[in-house]
Amino acid sequence: MLGQEASNCVSSEFLYSEELVELKGVLKRIVYTNPENGYSICQLDLGRRQGLVTLIGYFPGVQCGETLKVRGRWTEHEKFGKQLKAESFQSTLPVDIHGIRQYLSSGLVHGIGKEYANKIVEFFGTETFNVLNEASARLLEVPGIGKKRAKQIKEAWDEQQAVRDTMIFLQAYGISNTQCLRLYQYYGQDTKKVITQNPYVIVKTIEGIGFKSADKIALNLGLTVDSEFRIDAALEYVLSEAEADGNTGARQENLVQKTAELLDIAAPLIATRLQKLLEDNVLSEYPASRLIQRSRMSIHEACVAKHIQRLFNTPSCLPSIQADQALAWAEQKLGIRWSETQKKALKAILQSKLSVLTGGPGTGKTTLLKALVGVLQAKHIRLCLAAPTGRAAQRMGEATGVKARTVHRTLKFEPSIGRFTYDDANPLPIDFLILDESSMLDVPLTHALLRAIPDKAHVLLVGDIYQLPSVGPGNVLNDFINSPYFHVESLNEIFRQGQKSSIVSTAHNILQGKRTLESPVVLPHGSINWTEDFHFIGIENPDQCLDVLKFFCWDRLPKQYGVDPIRDIQILAPMHRGGMGIEQINLAFQEQMGLQRRKVEVGSQAFFIGDKVIQLKNNYDKNIFNGDLGIIQGVDGENNELIVNFNDEEHVLERRDCLDLKLAYAISIHKSQGSEFPIVLIPLFTQHFVMLKRNLLYTAITRGRKKVFIFGDPRAYSIAVRTLDSTIRQTTLKERLLHLFKEQGDVLQEPTRL
């Protein structure tokens, strides 16, 4: 009720504007504050004529009695009424006796409570702050204050002033209050000094501050455009962008050109500085591919190659297995008949230390894996089944009957020490690793996994090379396939159970470049053959698609199949923004749910009970990982906390954790990798042109386990099928593997290729 009473006291001219407004007043009361991030609920006294207003936002370090100038927008709280959501603020210390006494009595300055605040203010009056700033020795003049307390008061006062000065300094350059606080927590009283010397260090230390923000600060501070700090940071930024595109480095000429364009300075200056960074081993160049890499990425790829060589050169730990007998045993146990391709593949996998099994949907990968697991279990071989994502691991476990885990959970990340529990010093207690969905492996995760595999263990990588490559840097599966260390088996025959599936046949038609649909295009309200598993719903106008999607998701499909629209249906969209983009779909679906309940706002995003969400980053403290899908079970609006169910486990997420959440009624096709959903809905229009690629469409369709519905324009389907992704990821892993193989003196055979 406090917020409502405060709002009722405010002049009506403030209450109904949605524009950015500016208020100035004295901080009267702090109702709530989070000491970790400075998020607060406060009352601001605007004066006699305008009364009190409730503020919400980030106000680290402020105390009652200060004069605040706040910029923000009005919001309506369902319980407390009108509140001003602050976007920025400036603070000045109080100047009158009452304000000074209130400020010092707040507990802000360690060592000063109400009693000592009264004594100090009575003794020094309006000069109190000058004494604390410039003549703290005079505190000894106050009755009852000795040397120890005077020192304590001075140290606490100086620290608070440092926080305030840092905030004022950084806010002038567009750094948010939360980022300011994080910087101060990281650098302490040296924050201003560190940033003044080299503003670009904050790019590495504070998430959310990029090169361009740091560059703005640097230029405003007077750093020259050709400063070494600036060039070094720009080179690293361009390399990080290359990694974000899936590469592990960049060629020198491209790196120099892009950096010169970014900084708008001459390329020779960049090239000269780059050579210095290479000489100092700040950056690395791999001679065989002439790829410039950040040192950490270079180490990752070099170590991956070394671990592959180690495993390849170490004898097997497996007991003797008669492959023909094993095949006959598995055939009888599973009630199947092996094809010649499957027989050959299973024999080769049992005899190879390092192997790859590839194949599209319906080609028998799952059956072969189930048989392999059964054979290895019968021989009492210590198995480890893993996958990059939780859903892929769950699917693998269901298919084989053996528990599978994500790679992160397999390696057991320990937040207290900041690394995985299992590594080269403490290898996994296993004899055979089977990793599914290995096309999703990036270089850093592959390094972490390989270093934990004992010398004598076997490794089988299972994947589909026609799916999208990993989101992270590297082209691991393809580089392994094209190396001499791995034996590669490819399953291409579609078996009878797959031949009945239009999803499977459509997926293989896409790979073959067939642009004609086998299934007829049906209008949204037309007659649909619900027994089929693949459907194309024709929609000419993209503006109509959102309503059609909502109708199918919330009404038609649940009635027809008896499915849960949240848990059983997943929308996969090619793009994030624009018409029929992921963001638009998610907001429309959240509104469709009619969630008139408590919510938590994180930036511009609001979350409600029942919302479907996706985790965007690994959160080792909470044991939830990038790509995990969850449903919000509870909301604590006052503490800004969410209770989210991920993989049948409830997790309490604080506000800072919620920054890594997004709505997931619709997700990107990239984020769907490694997952399968009972029903998949795919909006597809020519306006998605830049993302219409064959491997993107193939990946989307193969995510549907039971049903796939495409909504849109058949022309967009045709464009996607005929458009091959011409992007070739730049890595050094393949060259490193070939080099090691030649170096060790083995007879180099042509690697097994697809």
Side-chain angles (χ1 to χ4, degrees):
M1 297 300 294
L2 178 62
Q4 190 172 12
E5 290 170 1
S7 296
N8 288 340
C9 296
V10 183
S11 172
S12 60
E13 65 183 280
F14 289 106
L15 291 183
Y16 300 103
S17 172
E18 295 182 357
E19 301 297 322
L20 192 67
V21 299
E22 183 173 283
L23 303 180
K24 184 176 181 180
V26 176
L27 187 61
K28 189 74 174 178
R29 182 182 175 191
I30 299 175
V31 180
Y32 163 82
T33 188
N34 183 332
E36 292 186 3
N37 59 17
Y39 180 82
S40 304
I41 302 172
C42 312
Q43 281 186 303
L44 191 69
D45 188 349
L46 303 180
R48 291 182 180 178
R49 294 182 61 187
Q50 296 169 345
L52 300 177
V53 64
T54 299
L55 305 178
I56 58 172
Y58 295 90
F59 300 96
V62 301
Q63 291 297 328
C64 295
E66 296 183 42
T67 297
L68 300 184
K69 184 186 291 185
V70 185
R71 290 171 63 84
R73 303 178 195 274
W74 290 106
T75 63
E76 179 76 38
H77 191 280
E78 57 189 19
K79 182 178 179 181
F80 298 122
K82 290 286 183 179
Q83 300 175 332
L84 188 76
K85 186 176 182 180
E87 296 183 7
S88 65
F89 78 95
Q90 293 178 337
S91 170
T92 56
L93 292 174
V95 295
D96 62 5
I97 295 293
H98 175 72
I100 294 171
R101 180 181 287 109
Q102 186 179 19
Y103 184 83
L104 291 182
S105 299
S106 65
L108 167 71
V109 184
H110 186 61
I112 302 181
K114 287 186 177 181
E115 180 183 352
Y116 283 102
N118 288 330
K119 289 183 177 181
I120 293 171
V121 174
E122 286 176 7
F123 200 90
F124 296 115
T126 56
E127 292 298 309
T128 297
F129 290 154
N130 290 333
V131 170
L132 291 170
N133 283 327
E134 302 169 7
S136 59
R138 291 193 59 196
L139 289 170
L140 296 173
E141 300 174 15
V142 180
I145 295 183
K147 289 184 178 180
K148 183 177 180 180
R149 185 172 293 275
K151 181 181 178 183
Q152 186 182 50
I153 292 172
K154 176 59 176 173
E155 289 174 351
W157 177 259
D158 287 346
E159 182 174 352
Q160 182 58 30
Q161 287 296 97
V163 174
R164 185 183 303 280
D165 291 345
T166 301
M167 295 282 291
I168 294 171
F169 168 70
L170 292 174
Q171 283 177 343
Y173 301 109
I175 306 300
S176 72
N177 294 335
T178 305
Q179 291 169 339
C180 289
L181 194 63
R182 287 179 182 173
L183 279 167
Y184 189 83
Q185 289 172 341
Y186 193 91
Y187 292 113
Q189 295 190 27
D190 292 331
T191 302
K192 189 173 179 180
K193 177 182 176 183
V194 168
I195 293 173
T196 302
Q197 290 176 343
N198 180 9
Y200 299 101
V201 298
I202 66 178
V203 177
K204 296 180 180 180
T205 54
I206 305 300
E207 189 173 345
I209 301 180
F211 171 80
K212 293 180 180 179
S213 296
D215 197 42
K216 179 182 176 183
I217 297 173
L219 296 177
N220 284 335
L221 286 172
L223 265 72
T224 59
V225 293
D226 59 353
S227 159
E228 290 182 357
F229 288 139
R230 187 170 188 247
I231 296 174
D232 292 357
L235 285 166
E236 180 144 347
Y237 171 74
V238 173
L239 284 173
S240 71
E241 290 292 289
E243 290 175 11
D245 290 335
N247 306 293
T248 61
R251 303 207 181 279
Q252 180 167 333
E253 57 273 20
N254 293 336
L255 177 59
V256 170
Q257 180 184 350
K258 287 185 177 181
T259 306
E261 291 172 357
L262 176 68
L263 300 182
D264 194 23
I265 61 176
L269 287 173
I270 308 293
T272 300
R273 186 59 193 164
L274 174 59
Q275 290 306 313
K276 176 62 175 171
L277 295 177
L278 291 170
E279 291 170 10
D280 293 343
N281 295 318
V282 175
L283 300 178
S284 303
E285 181 178 25
Y286 188 69
S289 59
R290 299 201 60 198
L291 211 63
I292 307 294
Q293 297 180 295
R294 296 201 288 182
S295 293
R296 188 171 183 82
M297 188 56 65
S298 175
I299 292 170
H300 280 316
E301 284 199 305
C303 288
V304 166
K306 283 287 188 182
H307 284 300
I308 291 298
Q309 183 189 48
R310 167 181 64 86
L311 292 168
F312 181 84
N313 288 335
T314 309
S316 169
C317 64
L318 298 189
S320 176
I321 299 175
Q322 298 298 320
D324 289 332
Q325 293 180 14
L327 282 165
W329 175 84
E331 198 171 49
Q332 183 179 13
K333 184 176 181 181
L334 297 177
I336 60 170
R337 290 188 64 82
W338 294 117
S339 70
E340 290 303 316
T341 305
Q342 287 177 312
K343 287 181 181 179
K344 175 178 173 291
L346 189 55
K347 285 181 180 180
I349 290 167
L350 288 170
Q351 295 166 358
S352 304
K353 275 293 293 297
L354 302 173
S355 54
V356 173
L357 176 66
T358 73
T363 56
K365 290 199 308 292
T366 300
T367 302
L368 193 148
L369 279 183
K370 189 173 183 179
L372 175 64
V373 167
V375 169
L376 295 175
Q377 281 186 314
K379 290 291 184 177
H380 305 292
I381 291 166
R382 295 178 299 172
L383 270 173
C384 176
L385 272 59
T389 68
R391 282 183 172 266
Q394 182 180 2
R395 213 160 28 88
M396 189 183 189
E398 292 170 353
T400 61
V402 175
K403 185 174 180 60
R405 295 181 175 85
T406 63
V407 174
H408 289 89
R409 288 186 172 95
T410 297
L411 298 177
K412 292 185 179 178
F413 189 86
E414 180 51 59
S416 62
I417 58 176
R419 58 181 174 82
F420 291 110
T421 300
Y422 289 108
D423 55 19
D424 42 6
N426 180 35
L428 290 161
I430 63 171
D431 303 318
F432 205 115
L433 169 72
I434 303 176
L435 183 78
D436 201 5
E437 298 290 351
S438 53
S439 62
M440 297 179 66
L441 282 176
D442 61 25
V443 169
L445 186 60
T446 304
H447 178 201
L449 179 61
L450 290 176
R451 69 186 299 194
I453 299 174
D455 293 347
K456 295 186 176 183
H458 285 233
V459 175
L460 169 63
L461 302 179
V462 184
D464 184 346
I465 61 166
Y466 298 111
Q467 288 189 29
L468 293 169
S470 62
V471 176
N475 200 15
V476 174
L477 182 60
N478 277 280
D479 287 347
F480 282 168
I481 287 172
N482 290 290
S483 82
Y485 286 107
F486 281 84
H487 181 89
V488 181
E489 289 291 334
S490 178
L491 302 179
N492 298 310
E493 181 181 354
I494 302 175
F495 292 95
R496 186 170 300 172
Q497 62 268 32
Q499 290 171 346
K500 294 180 180 178
S501 168
S502 294
I503 293 175
V504 171
S505 59
T506 300
H508 285 273
N509 286 343
I510 290 171
L511 294 181
Q512 295 167 21
K514 296 180 180 178
R515 289 180 273 167
T516 304
L517 286 160
E518 289 184 354
S519 305
V521 177
V522 181
L523 294 176
H525 294 280
S527 177
I528 295 175
N529 183 355
W530 297 104
T531 62
E532 293 289 332
D533 63 0
F534 178 83
H535 305 272
F536 199 112
I537 310 299
I539 302 174
E540 292 185 3
N541 188 348
D543 294 336
Q544 299 172 345
C545 188
L546 192 54
D547 288 334
V548 174
L549 273 177
K550 289 192 289 187
F551 171 63
F552 269 74
C553 187
W554 298 109
D555 186 274
R556 204 163 189 190
L557 296 179
K559 286 180 179 177
Q560 183 65 41
Y561 297 123
V563 294
D564 182 328
I566 302 294
R567 298 179 184 275
D568 297 328
I569 299 175
Q570 183 61 58
I571 300 171
L572 304 181
M575 300 180 69
H576 281 274
R577 296 183 180 177
M580 288 312 299
I582 293 167
E583 294 180 6
Q584 180 190 18
I585 297 171
N586 277 325
L587 290 175
F589 268 65
Q590 186 185 54
E591 182 181 349
Q592 177 79 12
M593 287 189 71
L595 300 171
Q596 302 299 322
R597 285 167 282 208
R598 288 177 300 163
K599 65 180 178 180
V600 166
E601 292 187 47
V602 182
S604 60
Q605 180 66 66
F607 295 109
F608 296 86
I609 294 174
D611 271 341
K612 188 175 186 178
V613 293
I614 186 169
Q615 178 73 14
L616 299 180
K617 296 180 181 178
N618 293 332
N619 186 330
Y620 297 107
D621 292 325
K622 300 291 184 181
N623 205 30
I624 50 178
F625 301 100
N626 186 4
D628 282 353
L629 291 171
I631 296 176
I632 297 176
Q633 304 292 327
V635 170
D636 184 344
E638 292 185 7
N639 294 319
N640 289 289
E641 293 180 345
L642 295 177
I643 301 171
V644 186
N645 187 305
F646 288 103
N647 301 314
D648 296 324
E649 293 181 4
E650 286 194 350
H651 300 265
V652 178
L653 304 185
E654 299 171 9
R655 183 181 177 86
R656 64 170 178 264
D657 302 317
C658 298
L659 293 170
D660 297 331
L661 289 182
K662 287 289 184 184
L663 292 174
Y665 301 102
I667 62 174
S668 70
I669 298 170
H670 281 87
K671 284 293 185 184
S672 74
Q673 286 180 269
S675 298
E676 278 189 353
F677 309 95
I679 300 177
V680 164
L681 311 184
I682 307 166
L684 200 68
F685 291 93
T686 54
Q687 67 189 47
H688 298 140
F689 184 83
V690 294
M691 294 298 290
L692 294 179
K693 304 287 176 62
R694 183 181 296 180
N695 60 350
L696 194 84
L697 181 60
Y698 173 80
T699 300
I701 287 175
T702 55
R703 298 309 90 203
R705 186 165 67 247
K706 296 181 179 179
K707 306 287 180 181
V708 170
F709 290 80
I710 296 181
F711 297 83
D713 188 341
R715 291 176 301 171
Y717 180 91
S718 178
I719 292 169
V721 173
R722 74 167 183 253
T723 307
L724 293 172
D725 190 351
S726 59
T727 304
I728 299 175
R729 292 193 169 190
Q730 296 181 328
T731 76
T732 69
L733 182 56
K734 184 173 72 172
E735 285 82 2
R736 290 180 192 272
L737 289 166
L738 288 169
H739 175 73
L740 287 177
F741 198 75
K742 291 177 180 178
E743 193 178 55
Q744 68 187 27
D746 289 299
V747 178
L748 183 62
Q749 298 177 346
E750 182 69 14
T752 307
R753 302 178 190 275
L754 297 181

